[in-house]
Amino acid sequence: MKKIILPLLLLISCTAFSQSLKKYPVSKSGCSYYNYCDAKFDISKSTDSSDIYTGECAAADVTYGIICVKLLNPVTDLQMAEDLLIAYMDFLKQSFEITSAAGYGKGHRLNNNENTRGIIDYWKDKENDGWKVKGWTDGKIVAVMYAYSKKELPETKVNMFLDGFRFPASDK
């Protein structure tokens, strides 16, 4: 009996303290994402009056964040949309005081959808936090998901978060 109870107690205690991935709306943007914590969103306007939704929360020594821009003037050419995403990520490097970057990895598709483009990068900031960043676009929306921590990032969990963005049309 003791041989059964001990593993059962270990299993119950591990699952009780593990964080689960849940689906959350990105405010009123129509987008959603999967995360380990519930970010509260601020809404602002860009210089061209596009809606910007920003949210961040922390779970287990990792800060998870999302910036979602609903473009006022959508881009129909996906190469141009990817270039816009890169320009936005370059802008964010300055805003987040990034001191080094691995370099953009291109060619990602969200859920194998050929109508999306994704960019990934690894950053370090002036506080020596390690960042993993992934940007997504479909030409109507530009979204940047990021996770950072002073400790080593839990790659599997962070990857699930970074790939958990959902555009309005694919959110069914």
Side-chain angles (χ1 to χ4, degrees):
M1 183 73 167
K2 286 183 183 179
K3 290 180 183 178
I4 295 173
I5 292 176
L6 184 58
L8 184 60
L9 286 174
L10 285 173
L11 179 65
I12 291 170
S13 65
C14 287
T15 50
F17 295 107
S18 68
Q19 299 165 324
S20 62
L21 203 60
K22 294 180 185 171
K23 188 176 183 180
Y24 297 99
V26 178
S27 192
K28 297 176 183 172
S29 68
C31 301
S32 60
Y33 70 111
Y34 289 86
N35 200 357
Y36 301 99
C37 50
D38 187 8
K40 302 300 177 213
F41 284 90
D42 292 322
I43 304 168
S44 60
K45 295 275 187 187
S46 67
T47 54
D48 74 346
S49 295
S50 295
D51 292 328
I52 303 173
Y53 303 87
T54 56
E56 200 175 80
C57 61
D61 297 322
V62 178
T63 300
Y64 297 93
I66 181 170
I67 301 167
C68 180
V69 182
K70 198 169 187 179
L71 299 173
L72 181 65
N73 301 306
V75 180
T76 55
D77 180 298
L78 284 174
Q79 182 58 53
M80 289 177 63
E82 184 178 75
D83 293 344
L84 178 64
L85 174 59
I86 290 170
Y88 191 63
M89 289 174 76
D90 284 342
F91 168 78
L92 290 177
K93 281 185 198 176
Q94 293 176 359
S95 297
F96 290 136
E97 298 180 300
I98 301 303
T99 57
S100 67
Y104 296 127
K106 299 179 181 181
H108 298 268
R109 304 292 183 266
L110 187 60
N111 295 323
N112 297 316
N113 181 344
E114 284 301 318
N115 295 317
T116 64
R117 296 294 180 265
I119 305 291
I120 192 168
D121 204 357
Y122 292 85
W123 298 344
K124 279 274 188 200
D125 66 19
K126 74 174 191 164
E127 310 267 323
N128 208 32
D129 290 329
W131 293 60
K132 188 168 184 180
V133 184
K134 203 163 194 180
W136 297 108
T137 187
D138 65 354
K140 298 177 200 105
I141 297 201
V142 169
V144 177
M145 315 269 294
Y146 59 86
Y148 66 89
S149 179
K150 291 219 177 290
K151 297 181 178 181
E152 187 174 330
L153 290 170
E155 283 289 322
T156 302
K157 289 179 77 171
V158 168
N159 289 342
M160 290 177 68
F161 164 72
L162 295 175
D163 291 335
F165 183 76
R166 298 296 178 261
F167 291 104
S170 65
D171 194 22
K172 296 179 181 177

